Amino acid sequence: FFCLGRNVEKYPEIFDRIQQEGHVVGNHSYSHPDGWRTGKTKYVEDIERAAKLIPGTLFRPPYGRIRPIQIKALKERYQIVMWDFMCWDFKKRTTEGDCLKSVKKYCRSGSVIIFHDTNNDQGRIISELPGIIDWFEKNDLNFMKLSC
């Protein structure tokens, strides 16, 4: 689970539960800055603020946007994790069933998949996950934890 620092502060009991259940947590910044629109110093400070709340060395850049100068500043301390598939679950135009269809079409062995837990899409993801998990199992694809 890549978490925002502001949400860890707001919902510490959920963050604690994620860890207690054995999931790996990673830093997704404090306030979700866009790396292409944020200067290096401000960007790194935001990640470091989140690091005070989120243990480990995994970092996933918000929006998948990070500039080389930001990578250089962060790569000594963090393992930067990108992805190869996003089902756009946070978009209002994404309807129930769209995520499963996209997973079936685009995911493959080794895929790193992004799902979101924001209020506007939480119900959609909860309803789609059983079908997505079932599809992976039927196709002999396993879920693995990222190592940090």
Side-chain angles (χ1 to χ4, degrees), residues 9-146:
E9 283 182 337
K10 191 173 182 180
Y11 306 105
E13 66 287 346
I14 294 173
F15 185 70
D16 290 342
R17 181 178 170 194
I18 290 168
Q19 293 178 93
Q20 288 168 2
E21 291 185 8
H23 299 286
V24 174
V25 294
N27 186 333
H28 190 46
S29 77
Y30 184 85
S31 66
H32 210 264
D34 184 332
W36 292 351
R37 296 180 178 161
T38 308
K40 180 189 86 164
T41 301
K42 188 173 180 181
Y43 190 81
V44 171
E45 286 174 354
D46 196 84
I47 283 60
E48 293 299 328
R49 183 176 179 190
K52 292 175 183 171
L53 303 164
I54 303 165
T57 59
L58 297 174
F59 170 65
R60 182 169 73 82
Y63 308 100
R65 296 178 180 168
I66 187 168
R67 292 185 288 140
I69 195 165
Q70 295 160 334
I71 292 170
K72 186 176 179 182
L74 295 169
K75 72 179 181 179
E76 295 297 320
R77 180 158 181 220
Y78 299 98
Q79 177 184 346
I80 299 171
V81 179
M82 300 303 275
W83 65 92
D84 68 319
F85 178 75
M86 183 182 307
C87 70
W88 304 100
D89 54 350
F90 57 91
K91 295 283 189 182
K92 291 183 194 263
R93 72 175 188 272
T94 303
T95 60
E96 191 167 323
D98 286 348
C99 290
L100 178 57
K101 284 184 227 170
S102 295
V103 164
K104 287 179 177 181
K105 186 173 182 178
Y106 297 109
C107 288
R108 64 191 188 291
S109 180
S111 285
V112 176
I113 305 167
I114 301 295
F115 294 110
H116 295 83
D117 66 348
T118 57
N119 290 336
N120 62 338
D121 52 69
Q122 189 173 25
R124 184 178 324 122
I125 289 308
I126 289 171
S127 68
E128 293 230 38
L129 274 178
I132 291 169
I133 292 168
D134 185 57
W135 182 83
F136 271 92
E137 289 173 346
K138 286 180 179 173
N139 287 278
D140 293 321
L141 298 168
N142 301 307
F143 294 95
M144 298 177 64
K145 287 184 182 180
L146 293 172

